[in-house]
Amino acid sequence: MNRHRTERLSRGWAACAAVAALATLAAACSSSSGSATPAATSANLVVGTYGAAKGNLSSLTWDLPYGEPNTIDPPNTAFYNSSLIAANLCDPLLRLNPNYSISPNVAVYRQPNPLTLVFNLRSGVKFWDGSPMTSADVVWSLQHSASPSTAVAFLYANVKSITATGPLQVTVKFKRPDSLFLFEMATFVGMVQEKRFAERAGSKLGSAAGKIMCSGPYELTSWTPGTGMTLTANPHYWSPPGLAHSHTVHIEFDTNSTSIAQALIAGQLNGAYEISPATIPRLRSADNGKLIFGAPSQLYLTLSVARPTGVLASPDVRKAMFMTINRAALAKAAYFGAAIPNYTQMNVGSWKNGSWPAAAQKIFSTAYAGFERQKKSWGTPAAFAAAKKLASAGGYHGQPIVLATLAGDATLAQVAGLIQGWAREAGLNVQIKPMQPLAYSNASYNAKYRAGLDLLIGVTFNNAPSPLEPIGLAYSPGNPYNYTNYHNPKVVADINASHATSNLVEQARLLTAAQAIYEPAYNSQTLVQFNEIMFLTNGLGGATTSFAYMNEPSLALIGSAK
Amino acid sequence: MLSTAPTAVLSLVHGRTENGLIRGAAMLSHVRRWIVAPLATLLAASFVLYTAVWLQPGNPLTLLLGTKASPAQYRYLAHKLGLDRPMPVRYWDWLTNAVHGNFGTSLVYKQSVASLIAPRLLTTLLLVGYAGVIITVLGVTLGIIGGMSPRAAPYTAGLNGLGVAIPGFVAAEALTAVFAVKLGWFPVLGTGQGLAGRLQHLTLPAFALAIASIAYVSQITRAAVSVEEQSPHVETARGRGLAGPRILRRHVLRNAAIPIMTVSALTVAGLLAGAIVVEYAFGLGGIGSLLVQSVSDKDSNVVLAIGLILVLVFVMTTTVLDFLQHLLDPRLRLRTAASWH
Amino acid sequence: MALTARLARGPALLRAGEPRDKPDVIAVIAGCVCAALLAAAIFAPLIAPYQPDTIDATAINQGPSAAHLLGTDSLGRDILTRLLYGARLSLLGPALVTLLSTTLGTAVAIAGSWLGGTADRIMARLLDVLFAFPSILFAVLAVVAFGTGLLAPVVALSVAYTPYIARVIRSAAVHERQLPYIEACQLLGYSSWRTAVNHLLRNVRLLIVAQATITFGYALLDLAAISFIGLGVQPPTADWGVMVSEGDSALLNGYVAESLAAGAAIVLTVVAFNVLGERLAARSQGRQ
């Protein structure tokens, strides 16, 4: 029986020893400094394309950090994951180049007058099932895109009619000139699918059950919900230069930034776009691949008021909320230097790029400077005090302010945590609500999913290098992206006028005029702007590094670097 | 852990008192005990499950219709979906459908719950199976070492005491920190491709899940083996000069096998619950992580389906084991006197 | 585990030569650790160097230093402070679960063993339904029905553990009930209630206490797990389970302090309470 005694004693000691070991492990493993990582200087930025695709691959494994697409029906693929897939499967009428110029794709266009667009379809383009693309398919696809239930219907607001004027010709007539329309035809908004297949698929179109019929360089050969997709190269793709370099692509749906980084380092994944900045330090030191910051970029972090009612209905409380945020600190802390602070709803990159003339850029930057001066001091102790006073003047007395974020995204979790911590300094009670990927992406364009939410934080992007798209989306009455049902006739008029003119200096003037009105309403703010972050395994090349990947068959372009 | 030990031990106690029944009535009581009673339990448990989900705040209709719909529209849709019927009716409807494999549609994924669960169930079963193998092999081995070798005993005892205190998620973080981050031996992505790939991805999660159970099985094995070691017939065998390993094999192991098997099997059932946390920690695409996601998303049909599966496995496992123990009862009674004193 | 194995032993096993009243060093150490943990929780505001919720965007993910003994987390908060404050909720929850489940379980057990017959069988069937649920599933269901936070899981776990405690106590109580002194009490005319409480209960009380300390450990593990998966205590409130979860992404980047420190705290507490409980159980066995 003494044995029992001894073993109990030893058990106690062994337990103590193990705990001590754990503590030592903890001490040994932790880094000495957390913020000493070098910033993403311009030397690290890779403009346009990384490497060259000299050869073919038998297979490529790619991850969608935003998870499984909820649909691949093009007009509803306004999200990173679904858009990437759709762009590899389907052809838009026109092609958007990385520098944002437009080229013909499956159609060439002619504009005989400001209210008419004529698309002449290329002959010999076939869908995966072998049937040829005709004007009937194009008309169906555009009308489908324009139907009220899609996310992009409003982009067709100025369209009067879409008709097939020949077996390979489609004419679009407008009620008012629309300078954005042509551009949108080079994105998922203008993608062509087969009419017969789509009509037969009915409500299942775009789901794992119904799938899709398109003409792109990849065909969707399998989609296992919850697990992954397989894309197979289309041997009959009409455009040889775009022919897929990899025969098979395996798509994974992992959303956890930690495990994605792990998989990249271990070589389980060949790459991914939309890498979470939280994993920058880890991936930067990986030796089996390269972390790439791509420019030009139209990626930015927005904090938007989620609905017109609730605790943030009061403009004073809204302003107080935004006064607590230190944008410069956010850029530094959460993005490891790979971001710059932003002080208006418009992201700076939307006007500070090559597609705007100098005179127009001057108008934008003068207006921006004013807002920068005003908000630069926000998020500091003085601002906290002022915010507290303002909030209580606005009727705030401690109600919870629910901030929705994407579950599994470490950067957004950190950003939300910082916002919450700062808000507390001003007496504002922010509660963080992580949402699973599907619910979160639904919330981004469907008001039903935003019930009970007050703020939505997320990474947003522009299709075009222009503020017209995001501002138009946010401030058109009735638009799903107008979360607060903001309606100001002057703003609407300015935006419509911008759409109608092709004079960019005039557009700049109109947009900044609208900005002067809507900014003080604090419906939404862009907090920081950052570059596209992607990772690519060594030995691969040809990848588009900028955000332009969203509008290209990005996966088809990646091949072996040797 | 708590789920397995007392049940195992006390069903032995229960077995003892039941043996007073006469043979004729014994058959009826057996049917009652191993078929009727578990079914009744399952039924009641499914009702508890449904009630919990039914109590969930929030209105699925708002999600489907939006906030601008008229009361008439709400009433219409409620009637169409059968949401205006009394709860017991809805419960029965759900149950009868579930028994036929129809768990309804997911609110979030908009596809059948069964199709969501099927591929994920495979992942979870692989994880639990893998962990089960690790537990049985390592747990029994450590227990035998601890039970037979007086020198190793204190160390195994110490490890056991520590092991049972390590929950799956702590083990997950520690294993990730050492083997994935520092050493880079293991990846942590989803399910992987092919059998070998899947097993590699499941290794760290399986160990994380297994640690506490290894310690537990090791303790039980050690207790069983060491008492067996001291039993009269083993002493006699020693006295007759039989070599150590032969004693181990022939006498000790065979007799200690039953309690060890019992406990191991029950532990594996409990692993299904532990898988919830481990899958979440490692981002695995199993039913455990789907459960957490669905609770967060308020996807009721999925929560019900997975809850029912867990309860079903639990009840079935305990019933089957109870039955097996009873089958081996005559021998067990003798062994019980020796092993579980 | 091994505890319950020993609990099922009959009274026949007497440990020859075991000194009854010699102080048990290990139990004392374990008891001290438990007391220290409770003290840390209670006196956290006095001991902790910082506030648990104060963020510092300039001091993110720093390793241990003079200013921050365990370093900082991904929001720049001091980990040691959060560990100390976290002890409050991380220990309160299990304490409540232990209190509730032990009370309920003992009541059910004593009543069952005392009344016997149909009442006992009905209770056993009800408990069977609870046995069908893994405890963590029960807690998850409570969160589904009543929302996240500490309250729903605590109540759920109390209910979920009751059958286990009830069964253990019941078997001891059934055994006790058959002993001659109980009959003696009844012959002396004591009421059932008095016999049950004053005599039967008193003689199993050490077992109850032992069971309670073991339950504490399990409750801590389960509650921390619930918080870890995001259904219990919500961030930014400091809680060990929450901290293990929050520290996950930092862990990948090599900053393991938050996750592992909280994990170590959990393990240490459970080991301490387990060891204490086992020692008490051994004593209660010895007394029999």
Side-chain angles (χ1 to χ4, degrees), chain A residues 8 29 34 278 282 414 424, chain C residues 53 61 74 236 252-254 279:
Chain A
R8 289 273 182 76
C29 283
R282 186 92 182 115
Q414 190 179 24
R424 188 177 313 112
Chain C
D53 291 337
N61 284 329
S74 61
L252 173 80
N253 287 330
R279 296 312 231 182

Side-chain angles (χ1 to χ4, degrees), chain B residues 19 21 61 85-86 130 252 254 297 327:
Chain B
N19 269 306
L21 296 163
L61 289 176
R85 296 172 298 169
Y130 195 168
V252 178
R254 200 191 310 149
D297 281 340
L327 267 189

